[in-house]
Amino acid sequence: MRFAIIIIFLTTWFSASAFSDKKALQPSDLPDSDRLILGYGATTLDGGLNQPDKLWYEYRIKPRVHARRIWLGLDLTFHVDEQNRLRSEDWDGWEDILDKLDYLYYNTHKDPYFLRLGRLHEVTFGTGFLVNRYSNATSYPLHEKKVGLDLGVRLPFDDGVELLINDLDAANLYGFRAEFVPLDLVTVGLSYIQDSDPERNNDSFESLHFLGIDVVTPVFKKKTTGLYVYENLAKILDYGLGFSSGLKWEIPCGDICGEYRYYDSDFSPSYFNEYYELDGRRKYYDLRALRDSGKFGGYF
């Protein structure tokens, strides 16, 4: 069995090299670089009902392949015991198949349509007043891996929709955004986000619901740069309201933003950020503790 796993390692390695397209433009939010990762070790796993814990030899391979506009990353782990038997519990269910996927990316966020499946990084809705560089992978491997979905489609006349789900196997965070262009170069976005388990105990009786609207107007716009004025208004149902007005300068190496924010104490700008999977529970308790405690405002 161990010899067979080594053959799988080598076959996957050569396949990754053969089908990779080195000329493809890599998305900026790709989880990690295009390389093959190999690992070997030993670990003790739960033996199950009325069974003692057991020592397993662990083989791990993480190949990365891209072809044209598709980027694929796998996370394959094989557990073998002292009798060279493969641990079948790792391969017998739908959630096990999902667990083997590290990421599947198609196109970039600037293309007419794109797909992100698996590890998500830098998911932003509009100007980021509610969802700003959200990632579903910050708590891994402290907690179980999440296989998320970020899907976007650009419709005719530059209208578009985007769907966000943090984990296809056990989802608790959902997001939807629609963009409209009612006037030339003026973009209006509507966002809705729900967290059905803000306490992170799988037994919540309260869900958080966020509604947001943003308007973005270009002062000037060129191929690689632009200056934009934007406004945001958002509400957490049963909690506070927030507003921001700002200016964004897009340059090839990034964005420079300046804005004024004014919001209730039980509202938090950029609530869903890259650390939300780690500190979402604390943020929820902050909302409850600060309810009706006043208002905040200032430049950011």
Side-chain angles (χ1 to χ4, degrees), residues 38-103:
L38 300 176
Y40 169 76
T43 184
T44 301
L45 300 176
D46 186 359
L49 186 63
N50 298 325
Q51 296 292 328
D53 294 348
K54 186 175 180 178
L55 180 68
W56 297 84
Y57 297 101
E58 182 176 278
Y59 300 83
R60 192 176 189 188
I61 180 172
K62 298 181 68 174
R64 274 79 176 95
V65 182
H66 63 261
R68 296 185 181 272
R69 292 182 171 271
I70 297 175
W71 290 261
L72 173 65
L74 299 177
D75 189 354
L76 307 177
T77 302
F78 304 87
H79 293 106
V80 179
D81 64 12
E82 67 280 358
Q83 298 179 3
N84 289 326
R85 291 179 301 189
L86 185 67
R87 188 172 188 264
S88 59
E89 296 93 325
D90 297 337
W91 301 85
D92 60 359
W94 162 250
E95 65 279 0
D96 295 325
I97 302 301
L98 283 179
D99 190 59
K100 304 303 182 285
L101 176 69
D102 199 9
Y103 61 81

Coordinates of all heavy atoms in Angstrom, one line a residue, residues 38-103:
L38 N 4.5 18.0 -0.6 CA 4.5 16.6 -0.1 C 4.8 16.6 1.4 O 5.5 17.4 1.9 CB 5.6 15.8 -0.8 CG 5.5 15.7 -2.4 CD1 6.7 14.9 -2.9 CD2 4.2 15.0 -2.8
G39 N 4.2 15.6 2.1 CA 4.4 15.5 3.5 C 4.3 14.1 4.0 O 3.5 13.3 3.4
Y40 N 5.0 13.8 5.0 CA 4.9 12.4 5.6 C 5.1 12.5 7.1 O 5.8 13.4 7.6 CB 6.0 11.5 5.0 CG 6.2 10.2 5.8 CD1 5.3 9.2 5.6 CD2 7.2 10.0 6.7 CE1 5.4 8.0 6.2 CE2 7.4 8.8 7.4 CZ 6.5 7.8 7.1 OH 6.6 6.6 7.8
G41 N 4.3 11.7 7.9 CA 4.4 11.8 9.3 C 3.6 10.7 9.9 O 3.2 9.7 9.3
A42 N 3.3 10.9 11.2 CA 2.4 9.9 11.9 C 1.5 10.7 12.8 O 1.8 11.8 13.3 CB 3.3 9.0 12.7
T43 N 0.3 10.2 13.0 CA -0.7 10.9 13.8 C -1.6 9.8 14.5 O -1.8 8.7 14.0 CB -1.6 11.8 12.9 OG1 -2.5 12.5 13.8 CG2 -2.4 11.0 11.9
T44 N -2.2 10.2 15.6 CA -3.1 9.4 16.4 C -4.5 9.9 16.1 O -4.8 11.1 16.3 CB -2.8 9.4 17.9 OG1 -1.4 9.0 18.1 CG2 -3.7 8.5 18.6
L45 N -5.4 9.0 15.7 CA -6.8 9.3 15.4 C -7.8 8.6 16.2 O -7.5 7.5 16.7 CB -7.1 9.0 13.9 CG -6.2 9.8 12.9 CD1 -6.5 9.3 11.4 CD2 -6.4 11.3 13.0
D46 N -8.9 9.1 16.4 CA -10.0 8.5 17.2 C -10.4 7.2 16.5 O -10.7 7.1 15.3 CB -11.2 9.4 17.2 CG -12.3 8.9 18.1 OD1 -12.1 7.8 18.7 OD2 -13.3 9.6 18.3
G47 N -10.4 6.1 17.3 CA -10.7 4.8 16.8 C -12.2 4.6 16.6 O -12.6 3.5 16.0
G48 N -13.1 5.5 17.0 CA -14.5 5.3 16.8 C -15.2 4.8 18.1 O -14.6 4.7 19.2
L49 N -16.4 4.4 18.0 CA -17.2 3.9 19.1 C -16.6 2.7 19.7 O -16.4 1.7 19.0 CB -18.7 3.7 18.6 CG -19.7 3.3 19.7 CD1 -19.9 4.4 20.7 CD2 -21.0 2.9 19.1
N50 N -16.3 2.8 21.0 CA -15.8 1.6 21.8 C -14.5 1.1 21.2 O -14.2 -0.1 21.4 CB -16.8 0.5 21.8 CG -18.1 0.9 22.5 OD1 -18.1 1.7 23.5 ND2 -19.3 0.4 22.0
Q51 N -13.8 1.9 20.5 CA -12.5 1.5 20.0 C -11.4 2.5 20.5 O -11.6 3.7 20.6 CB -12.5 1.6 18.4 CG -13.5 0.6 17.8 CD -13.1 -0.9 18.0 OE1 -11.9 -1.2 18.0 NE2 -14.0 -1.8 18.1
P52 N -10.2 1.9 20.8 CA -9.1 2.8 21.3 C -8.6 3.7 20.1 O -8.7 3.4 19.0 CB -8.1 1.8 21.8 CG -8.3 0.6 21.0 CD -9.8 0.5 20.7
D53 N -7.9 4.8 20.5 CA -7.2 5.6 19.5 C -6.1 4.7 18.9 O -5.6 3.8 19.5 CB -6.6 6.8 20.2 CG -7.7 7.8 20.7 OD1 -8.9 7.6 20.3 OD2 -7.4 8.7 21.5
K54 N -5.8 5.1 17.6 CA -4.9 4.3 16.9 C -3.9 5.2 16.2 O -4.2 6.3 15.7 CB -5.7 3.5 15.8 CG -4.8 2.5 15.1 CD -5.7 1.6 14.2 CE -4.9 0.6 13.4 NZ -5.8 -0.3 12.5
L55 N -2.7 4.7 16.1 CA -1.6 5.4 15.4 C -1.6 5.1 13.9 O -1.7 3.9 13.5 CB -0.2 5.0 15.9 CG 1.0 5.6 15.3 CD1 1.0 7.1 15.6 CD2 2.3 5.0 15.8
W56 N -1.6 6.1 13.0 CA -1.6 5.9 11.6 C -0.4 6.7 11.0 O 0.0 7.8 11.5 CB -2.9 6.5 11.0 CG -4.1 5.8 11.4 CD1 -4.8 6.1 12.6 CD2 -4.8 4.8 10.7 NE1 -5.9 5.3 12.6 CE2 -6.0 4.5 11.5 CE3 -4.6 4.1 9.5 CZ2 -6.9 3.5 11.1 CZ3 -5.5 3.1 9.2 CH2 -6.6 2.8 10.0
Y57 N 0.1 6.1 9.9 CA 1.1 6.8 9.1 C 0.4 7.7 8.1 O -0.5 7.3 7.5 CB 2.0 5.8 8.4 CG 2.8 4.9 9.3 CD1 2.4 3.6 9.6 CD2 4.0 5.4 10.0 CE1 3.2 2.8 10.5 CE2 4.7 4.6 10.8 CZ 4.3 3.3 11.1 OH 5.0 2.5 12.0
E58 N 0.8 8.9 8.1 CA 0.1 9.9 7.2 C 1.0 10.4 6.1 O 2.1 10.8 6.2 CB -0.3 11.1 8.1 CG -1.0 12.2 7.4 CD -1.5 13.3 8.3 OE1 -2.5 13.2 9.0 OE2 -0.8 14.4 8.3
Y59 N 0.4 10.2 4.9 CA 1.0 10.7 3.6 C 0.2 11.9 3.1 O -1.1 11.7 3.0 CB 1.2 9.6 2.6 CG 2.0 8.4 3.0 CD1 1.4 7.4 3.8 CD2 3.3 8.3 2.7 CE1 2.2 6.3 4.2 CE2 4.1 7.2 3.1 CZ 3.5 6.3 3.9 OH 4.2 5.2 4.3
R60 N 0.8 13.0 2.7 CA 0.0 14.1 2.2 C 0.6 14.7 1.0 O 1.8 14.8 0.9 CB 0.0 15.2 3.3 CG -1.1 16.3 3.0 CD -1.1 17.3 4.2 NE -2.2 18.2 4.0 CZ -2.4 19.3 4.8 NH1 -1.6 19.5 5.8 NH2 -3.4 20.1 4.6
I61 N -0.3 15.0 0.0 CA 0.2 15.6 -1.2 C -0.8 16.7 -1.6 O -2.0 16.5 -1.5 CB 0.2 14.5 -2.4 CG1 0.7 15.2 -3.7 CG2 -1.1 13.8 -2.6 CD1 1.0 14.2 -4.8
K62 N -0.3 17.8 -2.0 CA -1.1 19.0 -2.3 C -0.7 19.5 -3.7 O 0.1 20.5 -3.8 CB -1.0 20.1 -1.3 CG -1.5 19.7 0.1 CD -1.4 20.8 1.1 CE -2.3 21.9 0.8 NZ -2.3 23.0 1.8
P63 N -1.1 18.9 -4.8 CA -0.8 19.3 -6.1 C -1.5 20.6 -6.5 O -2.7 20.8 -6.1 CB -1.1 18.1 -7.0 CG -2.2 17.5 -6.3 CD -2.0 17.7 -4.8
R64 N -0.9 21.4 -7.3 CA -1.6 22.6 -7.9 C -1.4 22.6 -9.4 O -0.3 22.4 -9.9 CB -0.9 23.9 -7.4 CG -1.4 24.4 -6.0 CD -0.8 23.6 -4.9 NE -1.3 24.1 -3.6 CZ -2.3 23.6 -2.9 NH1 -3.0 22.6 -3.4 NH2 -2.7 24.2 -1.8
V65 N -2.6 22.7 -10.1 CA -2.6 22.6 -11.5 C -3.4 23.8 -12.1 O -4.4 24.2 -11.5 CB -3.3 21.3 -12.0 CG1 -3.3 21.2 -13.5 CG2 -2.6 20.1 -11.4
H66 N -2.9 24.4 -13.1 CA -3.7 25.4 -13.8 C -3.6 25.2 -15.3 O -2.6 24.9 -15.9 CB -3.4 26.9 -13.4 CG -2.0 27.3 -13.8 ND1 -1.0 27.3 -12.9 CD2 -1.5 27.7 -15.0 CE1 0.1 27.8 -13.4 NE2 -0.2 28.0 -14.7
A67 N -4.8 25.3 -16.0 CA -4.9 25.2 -17.4 C -5.8 26.2 -18.0 O -7.0 26.3 -17.5 CB -5.4 23.8 -17.8
R68 N -5.3 27.1 -18.8 CA -6.1 28.2 -19.3 C -6.5 29.1 -18.2 O -5.8 29.7 -17.4 CB -7.2 27.7 -20.2 CG -6.7 27.1 -21.5 CD -7.8 26.7 -22.4 NE -7.4 26.0 -23.6 CZ -6.9 26.6 -24.7 NH1 -7.0 27.9 -24.8 NH2 -6.5 25.9 -25.7
R69 N -7.8 29.1 -17.9 CA -8.4 30.0 -16.8 C -8.9 29.2 -15.6 O -9.6 29.7 -14.8 CB -9.5 30.9 -17.4 CG -9.0 31.9 -18.4 CD -10.2 32.8 -18.9 NE -9.7 33.9 -19.7 CZ -9.3 35.0 -19.2 NH1 -9.4 35.3 -17.9 NH2 -8.9 36.0 -20.0
I70 N -8.4 28.0 -15.5 CA -8.8 27.1 -14.4 C -7.6 26.9 -13.5 O -6.5 26.5 -14.0 CB -9.3 25.8 -14.9 CG1 -10.6 26.0 -15.7 CG2 -9.7 24.9 -13.7 CD1 -11.2 24.7 -16.3
W71 N -7.7 27.1 -12.2 CA -6.7 26.8 -11.2 C -7.3 25.8 -10.2 O -8.3 26.1 -9.6 CB -6.3 28.1 -10.4 CG -5.5 29.0 -11.3 CD1 -4.2 29.2 -11.3 CD2 -6.0 30.0 -12.2 NE1 -3.8 30.2 -12.2 CE2 -5.0 30.7 -12.8 CE3 -7.3 30.4 -12.6 CZ2 -5.1 31.7 -13.7 CZ3 -7.5 31.4 -13.6 CH2 -6.4 32.0 -14.1
L72 N -6.6 24.7 -10.0 CA -7.1 23.6 -9.2 C -6.0 23.3 -8.1 O -4.9 23.1 -8.5 CB -7.4 22.4 -10.0 CG -7.8 21.1 -9.3 CD1 -9.1 21.3 -8.5 CD2 -7.9 19.9 -10.2
G73 N -6.4 23.2 -6.9 CA -5.6 22.7 -5.8 C -6.2 21.6 -5.1 O -7.4 21.7 -4.7
L74 N -5.5 20.5 -4.9 CA -6.1 19.3 -4.1 C -5.3 19.2 -2.8 O -4.1 19.6 -2.7 CB -5.9 18.1 -5.0 CG -6.7 18.0 -6.3 CD1 -6.4 16.7 -7.0 CD2 -8.2 18.2 -6.1
D75 N -5.9 18.6 -1.9 CA -5.3 18.3 -0.6 C -5.6 16.9 -0.2 O -6.7 16.6 0.4 CB -5.9 19.3 0.5 CG -5.2 19.2 1.8 OD1 -4.3 18.3 1.9 OD2 -5.5 20.0 2.7
L76 N -4.7 16.0 -0.6 CA -5.0 14.5 -0.5 C -4.2 14.0 0.7 O -2.9 14.1 0.7 CB -4.5 13.8 -1.8 CG -5.2 14.3 -3.1 CD1 -4.6 13.6 -4.3 CD2 -6.7 14.2 -3.0
T77 N -4.8 13.4 1.6 CA -4.2 12.8 2.8 C -4.6 11.3 2.9 O -5.7 11.0 2.8 CB -4.6 13.5 4.1 OG1 -4.3 14.9 4.0 CG2 -3.9 12.9 5.3
F78 N -3.6 10.5 3.0 CA -3.7 9.0 3.1 C -3.3 8.6 4.5 O -2.1 8.9 4.9 CB -3.0 8.3 2.0 CG -3.3 8.7 0.6 CD1 -2.6 9.8 0.1 CD2 -4.2 8.1 -0.1 CE1 -2.9 10.2 -1.2 CE2 -4.5 8.5 -1.4 CZ -3.8 9.6 -2.0
H79 N -4.1 7.9 5.2 CA -3.7 7.3 6.5 C -3.6 5.8 6.3 O -4.5 5.1 5.9 CB -4.7 7.6 7.6 CG -4.8 9.1 7.9 ND1 -5.8 9.9 7.5 CD2 -3.9 9.9 8.6 CE1 -5.5 11.2 8.0 NE2 -4.4 11.1 8.6
V80 N -2.4 5.2 6.7 CA -2.1 3.8 6.5 C -1.7 3.3 7.9 O -0.9 3.9 8.6 CB -1.0 3.6 5.5 CG1 -0.7 2.1 5.3 CG2 -1.5 4.2 4.1
D81 N -2.2 2.1 8.3 CA -1.8 1.5 9.5 C -0.6 0.6 9.4 O 0.0 0.5 8.3 CB -3.0 0.7 10.2 CG -3.4 -0.5 9.4 OD1 -2.7 -0.9 8.4 OD2 -4.5 -1.0 9.7
E82 N -0.2 -0.1 10.5 CA 1.1 -0.9 10.5 C 0.9 -2.1 9.6 O 1.9 -2.7 9.2 CB 1.4 -1.3 11.9 CG 0.5 -2.3 12.5 CD -0.8 -1.6 13.1 OE1 -0.8 -0.3 13.0 OE2 -1.6 -2.2 13.7
Q83 N -0.3 -2.4 9.2 CA -0.5 -3.6 8.3 C -0.7 -3.1 6.8 O -1.3 -3.9 6.0 CB -1.7 -4.4 8.8 CG -1.5 -5.0 10.1 CD -2.6 -5.8 10.6 OE1 -3.6 -6.0 9.9 NE2 -2.5 -6.3 11.8
N84 N -0.4 -1.8 6.5 CA -0.5 -1.3 5.2 C -1.9 -1.2 4.7 O -2.2 -1.2 3.5 CB 0.3 -2.0 4.2 CG 1.8 -1.8 4.4 OD1 2.2 -0.7 4.8 ND2 2.6 -2.8 4.1
R85 N -2.9 -1.0 5.6 CA -4.3 -0.9 5.3 C -4.7 0.6 5.3 O -4.4 1.3 6.2 CB -5.2 -1.7 6.2 CG -5.0 -3.2 6.1 CD -5.9 -3.9 7.1 NE -5.6 -3.5 8.4 CZ -6.1 -4.2 9.5 NH1 -7.0 -5.2 9.3 NH2 -5.8 -3.8 10.7
L86 N -5.4 1.0 4.2 CA -5.8 2.4 4.1 C -7.0 2.7 5.0 O -7.9 1.8 5.1 CB -6.2 2.7 2.6 CG -6.5 4.2 2.3 CD1 -5.3 5.1 2.5 CD2 -7.1 4.3 0.9
R87 N -7.0 3.8 5.7 CA -8.2 4.2 6.5 C -9.4 4.6 5.6 O -9.4 5.7 5.0 CB -7.8 5.3 7.4 CG -8.8 5.7 8.5 CD -8.2 6.7 9.5 NE -9.1 6.9 10.6 CZ -10.0 7.9 10.7 NH1 -10.1 8.8 9.7 NH2 -10.7 8.0 11.8
S88 N -10.3 3.7 5.5 CA -11.4 3.9 4.6 C -12.4 5.0 5.0 O -13.1 5.5 4.1 CB -12.2 2.6 4.4 OG -12.7 2.1 5.7
E89 N -12.4 5.3 6.3 CA -13.3 6.4 6.8 C -13.1 7.7 6.1 O -13.9 8.6 6.1 CB -13.3 6.5 8.3 CG -13.8 5.3 9.1 CD -12.6 4.3 9.4 OE1 -11.7 4.2 8.6 OE2 -12.6 3.7 10.5
D90 N -11.8 7.9 5.6 CA -11.5 9.2 5.0 C -12.0 9.3 3.5 O -11.8 10.4 2.9 CB -10.0 9.3 5.0 CG -9.4 9.4 6.4 OD1 -10.1 9.7 7.3 OD2 -8.2 9.1 6.5
W91 N -12.6 8.3 3.0 CA -13.0 8.2 1.6 C -14.4 7.7 1.3 O -14.7 7.4 0.1 CB -11.9 7.4 0.8 CG -10.5 7.8 1.0 CD1 -9.7 7.5 2.0 CD2 -9.8 8.7 0.1 NE1 -8.5 8.1 1.8 CE2 -8.5 8.8 0.6 CE3 -10.1 9.3 -1.1 CZ2 -7.6 9.6 0.0 CZ3 -9.2 10.1 -1.7 CH2 -7.9 10.3 -1.2
D92 N -15.3 7.7 2.2 CA -16.5 7.0 2.0 C -17.8 7.9 2.1 O -18.9 7.5 2.2 CB -16.7 5.9 3.0 CG -16.7 6.4 4.5 OD1 -16.5 7.6 4.7 OD2 -16.8 5.5 5.4
G93 N -17.6 9.3 2.0 CA -18.7 10.1 2.1 C -18.6 11.4 1.3 O -17.5 11.7 0.8
W94 N -19.7 12.1 1.1 CA -19.7 13.4 0.3 C -18.8 14.4 0.9 O -18.0 15.1 0.3 CB -21.1 13.9 0.2 CG -21.2 15.3 -0.2 CD1 -21.6 16.4 0.6 CD2 -20.9 15.9 -1.5 NE1 -21.6 17.6 -0.1 CE2 -21.2 17.3 -1.4 CE3 -20.4 15.4 -2.7 CZ2 -21.0 18.2 -2.4 CZ3 -20.2 16.3 -3.7 CH2 -20.5 17.6 -3.6
E95 N -18.8 14.5 2.3 CA -18.0 15.5 2.9 C -16.5 15.1 2.8 O -15.6 16.0 2.8 CB -18.3 15.6 4.4 CG -18.1 14.3 5.3 CD -19.2 13.3 5.1 OE1 -20.2 13.5 4.4 OE2 -19.1 12.2 5.8
D96 N -16.2 13.8 2.6 CA -14.8 13.4 2.4 C -14.3 13.9 1.1 O -13.1 14.3 0.9 CB -14.6 11.9 2.5 CG -14.9 11.4 4.0 OD1 -14.6 12.1 4.9 OD2 -15.5 10.3 4.1
I97 N -15.1 13.8 0.1 CA -14.8 14.2 -1.3 C -14.5 15.7 -1.3 O -13.5 16.2 -1.8 CB -15.9 13.9 -2.3 CG1 -16.1 12.4 -2.3 CG2 -15.5 14.4 -3.7 CD1 -14.9 11.5 -2.7
L98 N -15.4 16.5 -0.6 CA -15.2 17.9 -0.5 C -13.9 18.3 0.2 O -13.2 19.2 -0.1 CB -16.4 18.6 0.2 CG -17.7 18.8 -0.5 CD1 -18.8 19.4 0.4 CD2 -17.5 19.6 -1.8
D99 N -13.6 17.5 1.3 CA -12.4 17.7 2.0 C -11.1 17.6 1.2 O -10.1 18.2 1.6 CB -12.4 16.8 3.2 CG -11.3 17.2 4.2 OD1 -11.4 18.3 4.8 OD2 -10.4 16.3 4.5
K100 N -11.2 16.8 0.2 CA -10.0 16.6 -0.7 C -9.7 17.8 -1.6 O -8.6 18.0 -2.1 CB -10.1 15.4 -1.5 CG -10.4 14.1 -0.7 CD -9.3 13.8 0.3 CE -9.6 12.5 1.1 NZ -10.7 12.7 2.1
L101 N -10.7 18.7 -1.7 CA -10.5 19.9 -2.6 C -10.0 21.0 -1.8 O -10.5 21.4 -0.7 CB -11.9 20.3 -3.2 CG -11.9 21.6 -4.0 CD1 -11.1 21.4 -5.3 CD2 -13.3 22.0 -4.3
D102 N -8.9 21.6 -2.2 CA -8.3 22.7 -1.6 C -8.9 24.0 -2.2 O -9.4 24.9 -1.5 CB -6.8 22.8 -1.7 CG -6.1 23.7 -0.7 OD1 -6.8 24.1 0.2 OD2 -4.9 23.9 -0.8
Y103 N -8.9 24.1 -3.5 CA -9.6 25.2 -4.2 C -9.8 24.9 -5.6 O -9.0 24.1 -6.2 CB -8.8 26.5 -4.0 CG -7.4 26.5 -4.6 CD1 -7.2 26.7 -6.0 CD2 -6.3 26.3 -3.8 CE1 -5.9 26.7 -6.5 CE2 -5.0 26.3 -4.3 CZ -4.9 26.5 -5.7 OH -3.6 26.5 -6.2

